[in-house]
Amino acid sequence: MNPSISVITLGVDDLKRALAFYQDGLGWETNGIVGEDIENGAVAFFKLPSGLRLALWPRKSIAAEMGVDVAKNANEVLLSHNVSYRSEVDAVMNEAKLAGATILREAKDLFWGGYGGFFKDPDGHTWEVTWNPAWSS
């Protein structure tokens, strides 16, 4: 796994309120909420000057995507490792598993056209490994 973090996802209770805070209150640029027409798909992305992205995603949607119970997982932060090629997702997931990670959800095709999976490191931090055909890593 190439050591990088490309997206930091913050679990939020109210996506519109969180969007207003970052967009209107802090002046961060975004295209607003996307994916509202898809169950658990509503999310807002902010591209930061470093190339890093901040995502705001409802906690219940994160839990549904990971396949875990919201009550058992606070979903405060989701670290995302984006890769350049679809096949890299499976390689990184396997590497994480061999290193002792717990696989939360095996990699699969995602509703928005990407491919990804989730794992927890030995201390319980959740990672998403994703290939997004619209982004370069």
Side-chain angles (χ1 to χ4, degrees):
M1 178 176 178
N2 180 20
S4 70
I5 296 173
S6 43
V7 180
I8 295 174
T9 302
L10 301 179
V12 300
D13 290 321
D14 182 331
L15 183 56
K16 289 181 181 178
R17 182 187 68 205
L19 175 67
F21 173 79
Y22 286 96
Q23 182 179 32
D24 303 332
L26 299 181
W28 292 20
E29 292 186 30
T30 180
N31 290 329
I33 298 173
V34 298
E36 289 183 286
D37 55 332
I38 301 167
E39 183 180 6
N40 297 314
V43 63
F45 292 102
F46 299 85
K47 189 169 183 182
L48 307 178
S50 65
L52 183 69
R53 288 178 173 87
L54 174 71
L56 304 175
W57 201 11
R59 285 185 177 98
K60 67 177 184 62
S61 297
I62 294 173
E65 183 64 19
M66 283 188 225
V68 299
D69 182 11
V70 176
K72 293 182 181 178
N73 186 340
N75 301 316
E76 292 299 326
V77 176
L78 171 63
L79 301 169
S80 298
H81 177 72
N82 281 42
V83 295
S84 299
Y85 302 98
R86 179 187 170 98
S87 60
E88 287 180 89
V89 172
D90 294 319
V92 171
M93 292 291 290
N94 188 53
E95 186 177 0
K97 184 176 182 178
L98 292 173
T102 300
I103 303 302
L104 294 174
R105 178 157 290 177
E106 295 288 344
K108 66 174 187 165
D109 290 318
L110 302 171
F111 65 84
W112 48 266
Y115 181 73
F118 296 90
F119 69 85
K120 277 193 176 196
D121 72 12
D123 290 301
H125 303 287
T126 304
W127 283 81
E128 172 187 36
V129 181
T130 305
W131 168 71
N132 185 337
W135 295 353
S136 59
S137 12

